[in-house]
Amino acid sequence: MIFLKKPYFLLSLLLFSGVQMVFATHYRAGEILYRVVGNYRIEATVITYSKWSSPSNLADRDTIDITWGDGSRSYLVRRNGPDVNPPNGVPDGVFVADDIKKNVYVGEHQYPGAPPPPNRYYIINFYDQNRMESIVNMSNSVNVPFYLEDTVKFPTDLANIGFNSSPILYYPPIDYANVNDTFYHNPLAVDPDGDSLIFELMPPLQNVNAQVPLYVYPDQFCRAAGRPDNLFQMNRFTGQIIWAVPCQQGIFNIAFVIHEYRQGINIGTLERDMQIIVLNQNNDPPQLALIPDTCIRAGDTLLAQITARDRNTGQTVTLSADGGPFRVAVSPAKFSTTPGNPANGSFRWYTTCDHIQVQPYMVLFRAADNYTLSGPGGANAANLVDLKPWMIRVIPPPVENLKALADKNGVTLTWDNPYICASSPYFRGFSIWKKTGCDPFEPEYCETGLAGRGYTQLTTNNIQAYTYRDNTTVVGQEYSYRVVAEFYKLPPNGLEALKFDLQQSIASNEACVFMPINVPVIINVSILETDITDGKVFVRWTKPLAGGINLDTILFPPPYRFDVYRSNGSSFSSPIMIHSTPDAASFAALNDTVFVDSLLDTKTTSWSYRILFYSNNDTVGATATASSIFLDVLASDQALNLTWGEQVPWINDSFAIFKLNKLTSLYDSIAVSYTHTFADTGLINDSLYCYFIKGYGHYGSAFLPAPLINLSEEDCQIPVDTTPPCPPVLSVTNDCELHLEQSWTTEEYVNRLVWITQNDPCSNQIHHFYIYYGSDSSNMVRIDSTGSREDTTFQHIQADNLAGCYAVTAVDRAGNESAYSNVFCMDNCPYYILPNTFTPNGDGNNDWFRPFKPYRFVSKIEMKIYNRWGEKVFETTDPEINWDGRDQKTGKELSEGVYLYAGYYFEQRLGGLIQQPLSGQKKGGGFIHLIRGK
């Protein structure tokens, strides 16, 4: 790492490698900012705050060394301050307070492209020795390095996300606090790209992935000092830091990271390391009056009066303000102040459409007293401050002067052209919204869009025109229309599918229209009889109104008639004509508007109808389609759940539920629902119940009858128990635990299952249990069942295995089965031990080399036996081994002596075969004494 110090800068530029580093107490705070200046080209600004008094001045840096994260590094020259100490062609930095100097270093870097996966980011970092001495919440801070880093991310879909510049922090990272006074700090972060920012405290760093050792947060320090209620936290959305309260005089360091999000994707981080200088003075900070967050419609002026007071009557309070509204290019905010006690300020912002954005703007109001301290350089400001962040949303204004004109075929909408914010770079057109019935509500000042207002969007895509035609209207109905302006950002590739930061304007004024009754209006489709073959449906309609905006009887002369069309179901697909009224010689004689449709299946399906109107044998128009209400009753345990549906052009306001009274054989009204569902509870299982629905509806026109009453079919159902009992709790044992590392003589292996039921009402209906087994927990099959609820044990007997998983379910009398109990898995307990001697001398005793018996749960081995010269004499995969002391290849008896073996045996385990060394050694090596003598 190369650093240049005065006064040898010009010479040192040529002799980087020869400059000796100076390590002295030095750094207080800092951060790295970056911005995009080209394609994969970044400008980084390293800002540090350093101590200047001796010997720290010996470590002053004219040039610093940073790494860019792609294997390269640069030397950045200081850019701020005069060049007088002594003059050498490099600025000296700027003194911002007694013994505090600000240094700014700037440099550019061209990245070769996006970093390879999986990381997809570069880390810009700066490292130097040392921090300043005597930082209270660090151990031996004078020997702790100072380290800063930022993460520059390049997502895989960079064309969809775009490049990113870091936030800019306008409030410096050195601040003053006072013992026992609440401390506030805010970095005043403004993101140039309008990205969402999330703030998070972190320990300061001393190197890459290395936290400062033995670091403690300020509240932890104070709690250790006997202040258990101490609080230190950071608001994750505003960045406001609060410390309630500093407990000791001294210098504290903290750090935090800012995460940037765009389209929900983290696209970069910035770290700040900062210093809090805690004083112990007879001084109190001023107090700002509460400022509630707000919104403003673009084009309006936002005014606010700000006040601050200081309990120290001799102090003068000064107000200041900064933040996003003061940093915009067009029409920035203004803040005028009058110092005093109290101090007063006036905020004024003439907003424009250029200010519209999803993220709120933050204004940071600062009230500072004029308290000073005496220092080596004389009087030095050590102001105590109060900070209040103020969040302002700038929202799109409403579309104005919406008008609606109805004719017999639809509605035409128009509104002011141009829209007041059509020039905004994020304006993307209009969406059109409709609601049945008039709704003259006035949106609240900050209420955008129409969510929760009952409107339906008519436009799938936004429109750019200033007029819209709605041809989906129904005769005789009233409609409320509104228009909303839509705003959002597009990625660099301009793909609409990847739009983000969506924002809607205030809804326009309402335009309410009544549709003329120039054709018939259907008003009834009601079930008269429920039957699978002889059902009946009552169908009724009104004839058109004559005159005015309605039917022109001169243009459409008699004779008149109606044709009735019917379709199965509610979708009106493949309709057929089922009835035609006699011709009416005059409009006054056109009164045949009722039809009863019979011989239908009204039990299992609904029916829909439409009426065509003819004048002089030519079609004038038709009613909208209307269907009958269709009821469906679903069985549950001691309850029946009713749901129904219909497709009608009128509005159904409520539904009465009727239930058959078994004593009177009449239907009684038992409830009213304003939705399409109802649950009838407290019923008796296995008993039949019958219902029908009566709907009450209306059109918007006073010329049409109301209420419109229509009936569903009758539907019956039997409640049954469909609720499963609670699952039991299972445990499993076997004899493995009694014979660990021991032989075990048995002809069969047994896993013993025991379970208990939960002490809960849902366990009261248990009748018996099912037992499940599987080679693993994902492979379970039922293997047995018990005969009663009292039988809560089971023995699973196997010939050569104990490994497996078990579960038990509870079953009630209705056959409802619970979920699995806890799944309990058992493993085998393998045993396989080899002797080290055998005597193949033909006496019938120990003539074969075999494992100690009985071994268990070993399916195969891999064994090789060698003589003393390393020649293989025997090999097998049989767990029995059965070596008779002969050379396997020649069949000759081998001489007495020591033979070596190596290899593995394979245990049968729950997860499959597990390889183990034959002798317990790493490679399975052991020895065998072959003895021939008697």
Side-chain angles (χ1 to χ4, degrees):
M1 184 180 303
I2 305 299
F3 297 98
L4 302 184
K5 52 187 178 63
K6 293 178 177 291
Y8 308 108
F9 172 67
L10 295 177
L11 176 62
S12 298
L13 282 176
L14 303 176
L15 302 172
F16 274 124
S17 60
V19 177
Q20 182 179 4
M21 292 184 287
V22 177
F23 297 144
T25 59
H26 190 205
Y27 286 106
R28 294 178 176 270
E31 71 244 4
I32 304 173
L33 309 179
Y34 62 88
R35 67 186 183 98
V36 176
V37 294
N39 193 36
Y40 290 101
R41 188 169 185 82
I42 298 292
E43 178 192 80
T45 301
V46 181
I47 303 173
T48 66
Y49 289 77
S50 58
K51 184 179 178 182
W52 177 251
S53 58
S54 179
S56 296
N57 61 319
L58 299 178
D60 182 58
R61 310 298 190 200
D62 283 343
T63 300
I64 63 168
D65 172 14
I66 73 167
T67 61
W68 297 97
D70 61 352
S72 60
R73 64 199 307 168
S74 293
Y75 303 102
L76 309 186
V77 179
R78 185 160 51 201
R79 295 283 187 89
N80 66 318
D83 177 22
V84 295
N85 192 27
N88 67 342
V90 179
D92 300 334
V94 174
F95 288 94
V96 294
D98 185 38
D99 209 11
I100 301 174
K101 187 171 74 166
K102 179 181 180 181
N103 310 282
V104 179
Y105 309 86
V106 182
E108 290 188 10
H109 180 67
Q110 179 68 55
Y111 285 108
N119 292 334
R120 310 295 301 186
Y121 59 78
Y122 297 115
I123 295 180
I124 305 174
N125 65 56
F126 162 67
Y127 170 94
D128 194 7
Q129 303 278 0
N130 293 31
R131 293 176 184 268
M132 66 172 291
E133 78 285 358
S134 302
I135 297 174
V136 174
N137 58 333
M138 290 185 187
S139 176
N140 195 23
S141 62
V142 67
N143 290 323
V144 176
F146 184 73
Y147 176 82
L148 300 170
E149 72 175 31
D150 286 354
T151 303
V152 185
K153 296 195 174 185
F154 297 93
T156 304
D157 51 350
L158 187 62
N160 302 334
I161 304 297
F163 290 105
N164 177 57
S165 296
S166 75
I168 301 171
L169 309 185
Y170 287 103
Y171 202 93
I174 304 283
D175 214 344
Y176 289 91
N178 201 35
V179 172
N180 295 326
D181 284 320
T182 301
F183 166 77
Y184 298 95
H185 175 85
N186 195 299
L188 189 55
V190 177
D191 192 88
D193 305 312
D195 297 319
S196 175
L197 304 181
I198 298 295
F199 300 81
E200 181 182 12
L201 289 170
M202 60 174 285
L205 302 178
Q206 66 172 357
N207 211 328
V208 181
N209 297 322
Q211 299 178 4
V212 168
L214 303 179
Y215 173 81
V216 292
Y217 288 103
D219 55 340
Q220 295 172 333
F221 177 88
C222 290
R223 288 171 192 162
R227 299 291 290 271
D229 58 345
N230 206 262
L231 173 72
F232 187 86
Q233 62 186 21
M234 185 177 207
N235 186 297
R236 62 186 280 105
F237 301 110
T238 66
Q240 183 90 337
I241 293 173
I242 180 172
W243 185 7
V245 289
C247 60
Q248 177 179 310
Q249 182 178 357
I251 296 175
F252 291 76
N253 266 71
I254 66 169
F256 59 86
V257 61
I258 304 176
H259 303 272
E260 295 181 79
Y261 287 89
R262 185 182 304 168
Q263 301 185 50
I265 298 172
N266 183 216
I267 57 170
T269 63
L270 179 151
E271 179 221 328
R272 165 177 272 192
D273 193 314
M274 67 167 286
Q275 197 164 84
I276 305 170
I277 302 173
V278 180
L279 308 174
N280 191 6
Q281 302 292 323
N282 185 23
N283 185 34
D284 297 298
Q287 298 293 317
L288 276 160
L290 181 66
I291 314 162
D293 295 340
T294 189
C295 80
I296 186 74
R297 297 180 180 182
D300 290 353
T301 300
L302 181 58
L303 302 173
Q305 299 300 316
I306 311 301
T307 302
R309 300 175 183 272
D310 197 312
R311 62 187 298 178
N312 303 298
T313 56
Q315 298 277 356
T316 298
V317 179
T318 301
L319 290 174
S320 60
D322 202 348
F326 299 96
R327 305 284 175 173
V328 295
V330 178
S331 186
K334 305 294 183 184
F335 188 61
S336 57
T337 67
T338 303
N341 195 358
N344 297 297
S346 179
F347 176 89
R348 181 184 297 268
W349 190 17
Y350 298 99
T351 63
T352 73
C353 297
D354 290 334
H355 301 149
I356 294 171
Q357 67 176 34
V358 169
Q359 303 303 325
Y361 292 87
M362 186 174 74
V363 174
L364 188 66
F365 292 109
R366 182 177 186 268
D369 63 19
N370 62 338
Y371 188 77
T372 58
L373 289 174
S374 297
N380 186 58
N383 314 115
L384 293 183
V385 303
D386 188 21
L387 299 175
K388 287 286 190 300
W390 188 34
M391 310 304 287
I392 305 169
R393 288 192 308 124
V394 180
I395 58 179
V399 173
E400 295 182 340
N401 295 320
L402 175 65
K403 296 180 175 62
L405 179 63
D407 55 46
K408 66 179 182 179
N409 296 317
V411 175
T412 299
L413 304 176
T414 59
W415 54 94
D416 277 2
N417 182 1
Y419 169 55
I420 188 173
C421 282
S423 62
S424 167
Y426 305 126
F427 170 65
R428 308 296 179 185
F430 305 100
S431 57
I432 315 299
W433 301 76
K434 174 183 173 181
K435 182 179 183 179
T436 301
C438 292
D439 187 7
F441 82 92
E442 287 293 330
E444 299 291 336
Y445 185 81
C446 292
E447 180 185 0
T448 59
L450 288 162
R453 290 291 187 174
Y455 282 79
T456 300
Q457 185 172 348
L458 297 180
T459 48
T460 303
N461 299 310
N462 298 336
I463 65 170
Q464 299 295 326
Y466 287 81
T467 183
Y468 181 78
R469 176 72 177 177
D470 178 21
N471 294 318
T472 64
T473 56
V474 173
V475 170
Q477 194 61 276
E478 281 182 328
Y479 294 106
S480 174
Y481 292 92
R482 294 185 187 261
V483 177
V484 173
E486 303 283 344
F487 293 75
Y488 51 83
K489 296 178 181 178
L490 292 174
N493 58 20
L495 292 178
E496 284 278 337
L498 299 174
K499 60 189 176 185
F500 64 102
D501 282 357
L502 279 67
Q503 190 173 21
Q504 293 183 312
S505 75
I506 307 292
S508 72
N509 60 289
E510 181 205 30
C512 193
V513 295
F514 167 71
M515 298 306 299
I517 305 176
N518 62 319
V519 293
V521 178
I522 192 166
I523 56 176
N524 285 103
V525 178
S526 183
I527 304 298
L528 294 179
E529 296 285 347
T530 300
D531 194 88
I532 199 164
T533 59
D534 195 21
K536 294 181 175 61
V537 180
F538 174 72
V539 183
R540 183 165 69 116
W541 60 95
T542 68
K543 68 180 185 180
L545 296 179
I549 63 172
N550 300 303
L551 181 69
D552 185 340
T553 55
I554 296 176
L555 184 62
F556 298 99
Y560 302 105
R561 80 169 192 275
F562 300 111
D563 286 349
V564 181
Y565 282 78
R566 180 187 71 207
S567 176
N568 182 261
S570 61
S571 62
F572 207 68
S573 58
S574 303
I576 60 172
M577 190 183 77
I578 58 171
H579 176 70
S580 184
T581 64
D583 286 352
S586 66
F587 187 77
L590 184 64
N591 295 314
D592 191 357
T593 60
V594 173
F595 176 70
V596 175
D597 196 11
S598 59
L599 299 176
L600 299 174
D601 173 11
T602 56
K603 186 175 181 63
T604 64
T605 185
S606 63
W607 297 94
S608 54
Y609 297 85
R610 183 181 293 172
I611 316 301
L612 268 64
F613 175 49
Y614 292 86
S615 162
N616 198 23
N617 293 318
D618 285 334
T619 303
V620 178
T623 69
T625 301
S627 76
S628 60
I629 302 171
F630 188 74
L631 171 65
D632 192 17
V633 184
L634 300 176
S636 185
D637 185 18
Q638 302 180 58
L640 294 171
N641 297 311
L642 284 65
T643 60
W644 57 93
E646 74 285 340
Q647 293 291 330
V648 295
W650 60 84
I651 298 173
N652 274 325
D653 304 296
S654 63
F655 301 92
I657 294 93
F658 284 80
K659 178 180 180 181
L660 182 64
N661 187 321
K662 297 179 182 179
L663 297 177
T664 65
S665 298
L666 300 176
Y667 278 90
D668 298 333
S669 177
I670 61 169
V672 173
S673 175
Y674 297 94
T675 64
H676 286 75
T677 63
F678 175 75
D680 194 12
T681 58
L683 306 180
I684 300 173
N685 284 345
D686 304 323
S687 184
L688 186 68
Y689 297 87
C690 296
Y691 305 84
F692 73 82
I693 305 298
K694 180 186 283 189
Y696 297 84
H698 74 282
Y699 281 96
S701 172
F703 297 103
L704 298 173
L708 304 178
I709 299 176
N710 293 278
L711 309 179
S712 76
E713 89 287 5
E714 299 169 9
D715 194 16
C716 303
Q717 191 55 269
I718 299 172
V720 295
D721 182 4
T722 58
T723 303
C726 296
V729 178
L730 173 67
S731 62
V732 185
T733 60
N734 57 35
D735 288 338
C736 271
E737 59 192 36
L738 303 177
H739 303 283
L740 293 176
E741 304 300 328
Q742 300 174 20
S743 61
W744 179 8
T745 302
T746 184
E747 294 181 357
E748 56 191 21
Y749 296 103
V750 181
N751 283 324
R752 292 179 286 273
L753 284 65
V754 178
W755 57 91
I756 59 174
T757 58
Q758 301 182 42
N759 185 19
D760 191 280
C762 68
S763 296
N764 294 340
Q765 303 301 318
I766 294 176
H767 181 261
H768 60 278
F769 301 94
Y770 289 152
I771 295 94
Y772 289 83
Y773 168 78
S775 58
D776 57 52
S777 59
S778 64
N779 184 17
M780 311 282 284
V781 295
R782 195 170 83 194
I783 60 171
D784 212 331
S785 64
T786 67
S788 70
R789 64 172 291 133
E790 286 75 26
D791 191 354
T792 58
T793 64
F794 178 76
Q795 292 192 358
H796 189 207
I797 302 173
Q798 301 185 77
D800 58 359
N801 187 43
L802 281 173
C805 295
Y806 297 89
V808 177
T809 61
V811 185
D812 64 16
R813 290 183 179 276
N816 299 305
E817 184 179 3
S818 76
Y820 280 168
S821 66
N822 55 302
V823 176
F824 205 114
C825 294
M826 301 296 290
D827 208 344
N828 286 319
C829 46
Y831 178 79
Y832 193 76
I833 301 295
L834 298 180
N836 58 15
T837 302
F838 81 119
T839 58
N841 54 16
D843 64 359
N845 184 28
N846 199 25
D847 285 334
W848 301 84
F849 184 76
R850 293 168 177 158
F852 288 117
K853 300 291 185 69
Y855 62 85
R856 59 182 180 270
F857 310 128
V858 173
S859 62
K860 69 173 183 176
I861 68 170
E862 292 178 356
M863 185 180 192
K864 297 178 181 179
I865 301 175
Y866 303 88
N867 62 22
R868 70 180 66 181
W869 298 281
E871 297 169 340
K872 184 173 67 175
V873 297
F874 185 80
E875 180 177 9
T876 186
T877 60
D878 183 0
E880 287 287 337
I881 304 177
N882 288 326
W883 183 38
D884 59 0
R886 296 176 181 273
D887 187 315
Q888 191 176 41
K889 186 174 182 181
T890 65
K892 294 181 179 181
E893 289 185 350
L894 296 169
S895 60
E896 287 188 345
V898 175
Y899 291 82
L900 304 177
Y901 67 84
Y904 304 91
Y905 68 94
F906 292 82
E907 300 176 342
Q908 294 170 293
R909 289 287 190 174
L910 185 63
L913 293 180
I914 302 297
Q915 177 180 285
Q916 299 286 7
L918 282 172
S919 66
Q921 301 301 316
K922 184 174 182 181
K923 294 186 178 180
F927 63 89
I928 304 168
H929 287 276
L930 190 158
I931 301 173
R932 293 283 182 190
K934 299 292 184 181

